[in-house]
């Protein structure tokens, strides 16, 4: 009735097995030992020679400077669940691990270490500094690897890669050369985002924008009728202005187009040009043009052949000759505004002026647009291929609504600045000769030698090498067995926040390098982890959580289950400690229920009995088990981690532990063939349930499953399959039983009876399917058999049956009637108020739909309360 493809050897001494389990589950006692055992036995090692179908996922390579945060733990949990399930399904599953060299971040870390010694990288020189970084990596880098083990990541550690490895470096040099030869890489002087702290160019996607308090200054250029007012938040850049631009159709300035006006403080005269980029409705309709310090101005300058005058160096210090020479940009801003004010040139000043300002994502310094000679990737044809691969269905984005965000990006990509003015990273493989020669060198070529030849000093953007990750980690450019077996990846699981940083890069490079084969079949995007109030986690907010703390306190399984349970595709995930504690309670429930089953002889030995040999509760749970297998499989295929976690939670806790285990106690107590059948069914249900749970909570399930089955490891067990067995009749029968038990329990609670208090009752089950379940109903509701002289004082009709109870001596009837009468009055008042509102046409015409819906829901709740309380009053003994 469930597909048990491999019959596992089982101990015939299940009670003895239970005795080997501690009475309570202590995660810290088992997790580390279990993980090392899995690794030593090679469960996570992928074999390129295997005939099994491949299933490949790469880890989004964490920075070598990083440590495990909740975002990592969240993403790794989802990936690990997918990989563990596919491994159990018979796939040759590869989860490729590794780390990114993180150019800017790592160089910053090591430079800070040097600063403590009173040194800079320039004191060491390039070669010695790079050697120092490698030394730091060996000693301090990669602590995240140990933390991944704590979490239970089933990665193939034998394949661990680093983006500066020799093989990956060869891949970088190979694709650079290929792109260069295909004229898709070029060198040009353009405006870039410059970090004056990191002293390097950074790409658009490495700029973080935030609202800053600044100033908006309006400055008059020229004199009299030949004057124009421009506004700027960066007054210091006016020293590099080479024009003022207006819209061609702006009548206010037509008489000035083609003339020159004086640029204040400089003694230079600059032209007034007409350009359609200018918005005549914004501000004065005129803009200052500084081609060397603004990307839009650069484009205007190109169109009008304007000179580009750089007025700041790499430290954002003014280089223009005059009284401001040597001032920092912010010092210069204040000094220039003061000088303009003294000269009568300031028309208006607005402070504070809140506007969006770009900051370096690494060091948070305000970036400076700067004209600079850099290396660029011509992304046009690469981006088109990346867009077409999704449009043509070669690659699916999940959830589908994220496609628009992807297309908005790849369809509007600007050329990518790939050079960085750093020492740590892949050095650009281009040599310059004494007579202006430029030679790009491939990995199998010797660089030119001789006097005057030197290599480019820049390194490549970190995202250049990580964009090759899905195939460089498999040995490309060599045509390895691993590349043939495991490329393309089955799915990429990553956050929507790096859709542009990383995903688009991998799509472009994968399609280009691998003859049009995309790097993955599916892109499964998840959201960001937030605190329990939905707020972004930030050190400044004081709500950042170290996942290791929660793993220490509640166990890795509890953290994993909490994260998976919150993971709706593409949606942010709130998480709080209370939820992790609840997941820990779930792990304990699994432990206790399995331990009970083992102590009562649950077994996986032998085939399941035929349906006709089983009780209705046995057939019901097997039917529900198969339905759950099918449901969980469907959710996995749709990357619905939250829904599959909920399905498993409610099946395991509500149906298996709270109902079937309790129902089986009655069967086991009777003994005989049905008790033996129940032991086998109980073993089967726990076996399959533990296997279903394993990908998300691997540690507790490994301990329990191996004890239950006597088998080697659940990691390499078969994934359960839905046999198709369903028993609608048994499901209906047990649903009726559940309804009766639930109603009696609710009645007991309403009457104020203590949970363990036994009450005499007569059960009239004639004509229902509940006759065989009388003992179970009594056991689950604490109802004893009626003795001689039994007199029913309350009658509870439910599901065609009648439960008559003798409540004499168990409750204070007068007090209970008084309490219920008070509750009934409150419910009737609520009904009257809501009915009046819903009957008011004027109110209904003005009230929003959601307000009306809430009032209608209150009315329905009040009506339900009235029915319930009235029934309770009727059921009370007569005074």
């Amino acid at each position: 009735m469930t597909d048990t493809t491999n019959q596992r050897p089982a101990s015939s001494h299940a009670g003895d097995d239970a005795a080997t389990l501690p009475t309570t589950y202590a995660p810290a006692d088992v997790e580390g030992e279990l993980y090392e055992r899995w690794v030593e036995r090679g469960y996570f090692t992928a074999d390129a020679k295997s005939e099994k179908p491949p299933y490949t996922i790469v880890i989004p390579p964490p920075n070598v400077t990083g440590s495990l945060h909740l975002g990592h733990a969240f993403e790794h949990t989802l990936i690990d669940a997918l990989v563990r399930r596919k491994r159990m399904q018979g796939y040759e599953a590869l989860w490729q691990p590794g780390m990114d060299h993180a150019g800017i971040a790592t160089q910053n870390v090591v430079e800070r270490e040097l600063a403590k010694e009173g040194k800079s990288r320039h004191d060491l020189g390039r070669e010695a500094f790079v050697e120092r970084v490698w030394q730091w990596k060996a000693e301090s880098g990669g602590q995240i690897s140990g933390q991944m083990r704590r979490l239970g990541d089933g990665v193939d550690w034998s394949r661990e890669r680093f983006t500066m490895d020799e093989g990956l470096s060869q891949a970088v040099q190979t694709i650079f050369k290929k792109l260069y030869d295909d004229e898709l890489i070029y060198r040009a002087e353009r405006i870039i985002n410059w970090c004056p702290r990191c002293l390097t160019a950074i790409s658009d996607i490495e700029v973080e924008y935030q609202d800053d308090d600044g100033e908006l200054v309006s400055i008059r250029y020229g004199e009299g009728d030949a004057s124009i007012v421009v506004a700027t938040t960066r007054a210091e850049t006016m020293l590099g202005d080479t024009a003022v631009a207006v819209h061609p159709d702006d009548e206010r300035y037509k008489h000035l187009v083609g003339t020159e006006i004086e640029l204040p403080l400089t003694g230079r005269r600059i032209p007034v040009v007409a350009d359609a980029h200018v918005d005549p409705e914004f501000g004065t309709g005129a803009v200052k043009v500084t081609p060397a310090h603004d990307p839009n101005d650069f484009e205007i300058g190109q169109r009008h052949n304007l000179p580009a005058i750089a007025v700041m160096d790499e430290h954002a210090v003014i280089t223009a000759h005059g009284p401001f020479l040597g001032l920092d940009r912010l010092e210069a801003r204040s000094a220039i505004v003061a000088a303009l004010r003294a000269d009568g040139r300031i028309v208006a000043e607005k402070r504070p002026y809140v506007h969006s300002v770009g900051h370096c994502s690494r060091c948070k310094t305000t970036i400076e647009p700067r004209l600079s000679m850099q290396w660029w990737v011509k992304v046009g044809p690469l981006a088109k291929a990346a867009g077409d691969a999704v449009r043509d269905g070669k690659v699916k984005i999940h959830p589908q609504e994220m496609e628009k965000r992807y297309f908005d990006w790849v369809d509007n990509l600007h050329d990518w600045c790939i050079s960085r003015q750093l020492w740590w990273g892949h050095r650009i493989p281009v040599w310059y000769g004494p007579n202006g020669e430029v030679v790009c060198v491939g990995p199998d070529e010797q660089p030119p030698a001789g006097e005057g030849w030197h290599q480019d000093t820049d390194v490549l953007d970190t995202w250049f090498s990580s964009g090759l990750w899905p195939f460089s980690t498999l040995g490309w450019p060599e045509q390895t067995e691993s590349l043939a077996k495991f490329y393309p990846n089955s799915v990429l699981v990553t956050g929507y926040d790096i859709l542009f940083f990383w995903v688009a890069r991998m799509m472009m490079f994968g399609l280009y390098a691998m003859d049009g084969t995309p790097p993955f079949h599916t892109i499964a995007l998840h959201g960001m982890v937030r605190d329990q109030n939905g707020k972004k986690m930030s050190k400044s907010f004081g709500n950042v959580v170290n996942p290791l703390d929660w793993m220490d306190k509640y166990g890795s399984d509890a953290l994993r289950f909490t994260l998976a349970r919150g993971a709706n595709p593409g949606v942010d995930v709130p998480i709080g400690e209370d939820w992790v504690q609840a997941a820990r309670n779930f792990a304990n429930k699994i432990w206790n229920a399995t331990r009970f089953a083992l102590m009562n002889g649950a077994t996986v030995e032998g085939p399941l009995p035929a349906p006709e040999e089983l009780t209705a509760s046995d057939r019901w749970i097997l039917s529900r088990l198969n339905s759950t297998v099918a449901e969980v499989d469907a959710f996995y295929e749709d990357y619905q981690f939250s829904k599959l976690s909920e399905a498993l939670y409610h099946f395991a806790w509500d149906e298996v532990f709270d109902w079937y285990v309790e129902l089986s106690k009655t069967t086991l107590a009777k003994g005989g063939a049905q008790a033996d059948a129940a032991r086998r069914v109980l073993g089967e249900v726990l076996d399959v349930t533990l296997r279903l749970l394993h990908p998300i909570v691997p540690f507790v399930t490994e301990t329990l499953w191996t004890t239950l089955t006597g088998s080697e490891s659940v990691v390499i067990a078969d994934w359960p399959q839905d046999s198709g067995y369903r028993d609608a009749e048994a499901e209906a029968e047990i649903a009726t039983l559940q309804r009766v038990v639930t109603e009696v329990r609710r009645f007991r609670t309403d009457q104020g009876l203590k949970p363990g208090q036994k009450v005499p009752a007569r059960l009239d089950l004639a004509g229902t399917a509940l006759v065989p379940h009388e003992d179970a109903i009594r056991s689950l509701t604490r109802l004893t058999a009626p003795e001689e002289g039994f007199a029913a004082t309350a009658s509870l009709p439910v599901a065609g049956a009648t439960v008559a109870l003798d409540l004499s001596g168990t409750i204070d009837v007068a007090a209970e009637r008084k309490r219920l009468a008070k509750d009934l009055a409150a419910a009737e008042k609520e009904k009257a108020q809501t009915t009046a509102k819903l009957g008011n046409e004027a109110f209904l015409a003005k009230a929003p739909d959601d307000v009306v819906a809430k009032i209608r829901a209150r009315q329905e709740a009040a009506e339900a309360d009235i029915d319930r309380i009235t029934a309770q009053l009727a059921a009370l003994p007569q005074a």
Side-chain angles (χ1 to χ4, degrees):
M1 283 171 282
T2 49
D3 187 345
T4 52
T5 307
N6 290 342
Q7 289 297 328
R8 292 161 297 280
S11 169
S12 58
H13 305 287
D16 295 339
D17 292 335
T20 66
L21 294 174
T23 53
T24 57
Y25 177 50
D29 293 344
V30 301
E31 290 179 351
E33 179 184 340
L34 283 182
Y35 188 84
E36 291 309 315
R37 186 188 308 161
W38 293 335
V39 173
E40 289 167 6
R41 292 180 177 178
Y43 295 156
F44 306 145
T45 304
D47 182 4
K49 298 181 186 299
S50 169
E51 295 183 1
K52 296 178 182 178
Y55 186 81
T56 316
I57 296 182
V58 293
I59 191 173
N63 287 353
V64 66
T65 58
S67 59
L68 192 75
H69 56 64
L70 269 179
H72 287 130
F74 172 56
E75 186 168 80
H76 290 201
T77 294
L78 305 187
I79 298 175
D80 197 37
L82 291 174
V83 174
R84 285 177 181 269
R85 172 174 173 263
K86 285 296 182 181
R87 188 179 290 117
M88 294 172 75
Q89 286 182 314
Y91 287 79
E92 193 62 33
L94 167 61
W95 184 8
Q96 173 68 55
M99 287 183 291
D100 192 286
H101 66 277
I104 295 176
T106 305
Q107 181 156 318
N108 283 346
V109 167
V110 178
E111 286 196 85
R112 284 196 294 269
E113 293 294 315
L114 286 174
K116 294 176 184 176
E117 303 170 15
K119 298 178 183 178
S120 74
R121 60 180 164 121
H122 299 285
D123 294 324
L124 271 67
R126 183 169 193 143
E127 187 175 334
F129 176 77
V130 170
E131 182 58 36
R132 179 69 176 260
V133 179
W134 279 108
Q135 180 184 337
W136 174 87
K137 177 192 179 285
E139 295 174 356
S140 306
Q143 62 174 312
I144 199 169
S145 296
Q147 295 165 343
M148 287 165 59
R149 292 170 182 265
R150 281 288 314 277
L151 190 65
D153 287 3
V155 300
D156 184 348
W157 291 110
S158 69
R159 293 173 176 267
E160 187 175 13
R161 303 305 298 269
F162 181 54
T163 51
M164 289 284 285
D165 284 351
E166 182 179 348
L168 272 64
S169 296
Q170 182 185 17
V172 168
Q173 196 171 352
T174 299
I175 202 162
F176 187 100
K177 170 72 170 172
K178 180 174 170 60
L179 289 163
Y180 182 87
D181 289 347
D182 288 345
E183 299 183 349
L184 293 172
I185 281 184
Y186 63 94
R187 193 169 185 245
E189 190 174 44
R190 291 188 177 179
I191 293 286
I192 48 88
N193 303 301
W194 181 263
C195 176
R197 158 62 185 80
C198 298
L199 297 180
T200 182
I202 59 176
S203 66
D204 291 343
I205 52 179
E206 292 171 300
V207 178
E208 294 179 348
Y209 287 90
Q210 66 184 49
D211 288 340
D212 286 357
D213 287 344
E215 60 181 353
L216 181 67
V217 182
S218 298
I219 310 167
R220 177 172 53 84
Y221 287 13
E223 302 292 344
D225 292 339
S227 67
I228 295 181
V229 175
V230 298
T232 181
T233 58
R234 301 164 67 218
E236 68 278 9
T237 63
M238 68 161 291
L239 301 176
D241 286 359
T242 56
V244 171
V246 297
H247 194 274
D249 300 330
D250 196 330
E251 294 293 335
R252 293 172 294 177
Y253 303 117
K254 277 201 171 182
H255 68 290
L256 291 177
V257 174
T259 68
E260 291 186 342
I261 59 175
E262 183 179 346
L263 177 65
L265 305 182
T266 67
R268 288 193 287 116
R269 294 185 69 77
I270 58 176
V272 178
V273 299
D275 196 280
H277 171 76
V278 180
D279 180 0
E281 302 299 323
F282 183 77
T284 64
V287 297
K288 59 192 286 297
V289 182
T290 321
H293 292 280
D294 184 275
N296 294 321
D297 294 3
F298 177 78
E299 297 297 331
I300 295 174
Q302 292 289 98
R303 288 193 287 272
H304 297 277
N305 296 314
L306 300 174
I309 302 175
V311 296
M312 276 180 270
D313 66 11
E314 65 269 23
H315 296 281
V317 170
I318 300 298
T319 57
H321 290 291
F324 313 109
L325 179 67
L327 294 180
D328 170 82
R329 56 181 166 170
L330 298 181
E331 297 171 334
R333 183 176 300 171
S334 299
I336 288 170
V337 170
L340 289 167
R341 191 183 301 114
D343 201 24
R345 295 285 176 175
I346 300 296
V347 176
E349 298 178 68
K350 185 175 182 181
R351 295 189 188 87
Y353 178 71
V354 179
H355 61 134
S356 182
V357 177
H359 296 260
C360 173
S361 61
R362 301 295 180 188
C363 69
K364 311 309 176 188
T365 301
T366 301
I367 63 103
E368 189 65 44
R370 184 168 184 256
L371 187 63
S372 180
M373 183 67 76
Q374 301 285 345
W375 285 95
W376 304 80
V377 171
K378 183 179 179 182
V379 300
L382 302 175
K384 182 180 184 303
D388 289 346
V390 175
R391 288 188 175 95
D392 297 344
K394 288 183 180 178
V395 178
K396 298 187 185 306
I397 293 180
H398 187 85
Q400 190 173 1
E401 54 265 28
M402 285 287 181
E403 282 186 4
K404 182 181 184 301
R405 184 182 292 201
Y406 176 78
F407 291 135
D408 285 346
W409 179 256
V410 297
D411 293 347
N412 297 286
L413 267 181
H414 299 295
D415 284 359
W416 173 19
C417 177
I418 56 171
S419 45
R420 299 291 180 266
Q421 290 64 56
L422 303 170
W423 287 356
W424 174 244
H426 296 282
R427 195 163 173 181
I428 289 176
V430 172
W431 271 255
Y432 305 104
N435 299 311
E437 301 96 332
V438 179
V439 177
C440 180
V441 178
D444 299 322
E445 301 169 349
Q446 289 298 318
E451 187 175 349
W453 284 94
H454 64 280
Q455 187 178 358
D456 196 300
T457 57
D458 289 352
V459 300
L460 288 163
D461 178 10
T462 295
W463 296 103
F464 190 94
S465 52
S466 60
L468 314 180
W469 192 248
F471 51 94
S472 65
T473 51
L474 298 172
W476 188 90
E478 301 298 325
Q479 297 304 307
T480 64
E481 285 184 318
S482 291
L483 188 65
K485 177 74 174 179
F486 296 113
Y487 187 91
N489 283 203
S490 305
V491 61
L492 173 74
V493 178
T494 192
Y496 63 70
D497 58 317
I498 58 171
L499 182 61
F500 317 131
F501 282 89
W502 190 44
V503 179
R505 309 291 193 226
M506 287 190 291
M507 285 287 283
M508 291 191 296
F509 281 164
L511 289 160
Y512 173 73
M514 300 300 292
D515 299 321
T517 302
F520 18 73
H521 298 301
T522 301
I523 301 168
L525 297 171
H526 59 72
M528 312 297 291
V529 178
R530 297 180 177 271
D531 72 11
Q532 60 191 22
N533 300 312
K535 194 173 183 179
K536 180 180 178 180
M537 288 192 174
S538 166
K539 290 180 181 178
S540 60
F541 296 153
N543 60 353
V544 173
V545 173
N546 183 347
L548 294 174
D549 292 341
W550 281 352
M551 286 193 280
D552 288 342
K553 194 170 182 180
Y554 302 111
S556 298
D557 285 333
L559 177 63
R560 289 171 61 115
F561 191 78
T562 304
L563 292 166
R565 198 176 183 186
N568 288 300
V571 179
D572 288 346
V573 182
I575 183 173
E577 187 169 1
D578 289 350
W579 305 338
V580 186
Q581 186 173 355
R584 188 271 313 273
N585 295 343
F586 180 48
N588 288 343
K589 186 79 171 180
I590 300 169
W591 183 272
N592 292 335
T594 306
R595 195 169 181 276
F596 163 83
L598 288 168
M599 291 177 66
N600 285 274
T603 180
V604 296
E605 191 171 13
L608 281 168
E612 57 271 18
E613 299 174 26
L614 300 175
T615 64
S617 59
D618 292 335
R619 288 183 282 113
W620 162 73
I621 198 62
L622 290 174
S623 180
R624 289 295 306 127
L625 180 66
N626 277 282
S627 294
T628 302
V629 171
E631 188 177 23
V632 168
D633 275 336
F635 286 142
Y636 261 117
E637 295 304 315
D638 199 34
Y639 305 101
Q640 298 280 359
F641 295 97
S642 177
K643 290 182 179 179
L644 72 89
S645 299
E646 283 293 315
L648 284 169
Y649 176 87
H650 289 295
F651 173 71
W653 192 308
D654 299 346
E655 297 186 275
V656 178
F657 305 149
D658 278 358
W659 283 104
Y660 181 68
V661 167
E662 293 302 314
L663 288 169
S664 68
K665 290 179 180 178
T666 304
T667 308
L668 293 171
K670 292 179 179 178
Q674 283 195 336
D676 290 339
R679 291 187 182 95
R680 179 63 188 91
V681 171
L682 186 55
E684 180 74 9
V685 170
L686 287 172
D687 166 23
V688 174
T689 302
L690 291 171
R691 283 188 279 152
L692 289 174
L693 284 165
H694 172 72
I696 297 177
V697 285
F699 294 107
V700 66
T701 51
E702 171 79 340
T703 305
L704 294 174
W705 189 84
T706 52
T707 304
L708 172 70
T709 66
S711 297
E712 181 181 340
S713 173
V714 70
V715 178
I716 54 172
D718 294 326
W719 181 253
Q721 295 184 34
D722 172 17
S723 69
Y725 175 75
R726 301 291 189 276
D727 193 324
E729 183 179 336
E731 290 198 34
E733 188 172 323
I734 299 303
T736 303
L737 179 150
Q738 290 172 324
R739 184 180 168 193
V740 170
V741 170
T742 300
E743 286 299 319
V744 172
R745 285 173 172 172
R746 182 181 295 122
F747 178 79
R748 288 176 57 101
T749 301
D750 290 342
Q751 303 306 321
L753 296 175
K754 296 177 182 178
Q757 188 173 357
K758 294 183 177 181
V759 178
R762 182 175 63 247
L763 273 59
D764 182 3
L765 308 177
T768 74
L770 297 175
V771 174
H773 302 290
E774 179 171 349
D775 288 347
I777 293 171
R778 289 187 180 280
S779 173
L780 293 169
T781 55
R782 300 291 191 272
L783 299 180
T784 60
E787 297 179 359
E788 188 175 348
F790 172 84
T793 59
S795 182
L796 187 65
V798 56
T802 302
V803 180
L805 304 94
D806 179 6
L807 300 178
S808 59
T810 60
I811 59 172
D812 184 334
V813 175
E816 189 62 16
R817 280 189 179 280
K818 186 176 180 181
R819 181 185 71 81
L820 288 172
K822 183 179 179 182
D823 291 347
L824 181 61
E828 288 174 337
K829 182 179 179 181
E830 172 74 353
K831 180 185 176 183
Q833 290 176 341
T834 54
T835 301
K837 279 196 172 184
L838 293 173
N840 186 333
E841 294 297 333
F843 169 77
L844 294 177
K846 294 179 181 179
D849 290 345
D850 62 328
V851 172
V852 175
K854 286 179 181 177
I855 294 174
R856 187 163 283 118
R858 284 171 49 196
Q859 183 192 51
E860 291 171 358
E863 290 173 345
D865 285 344
I866 291 169
D867 291 343
R868 175 179 57 81
I869 297 168
T870 301
Q872 289 175 226
L873 282 166
L876 282 174
Q878 298 301 312

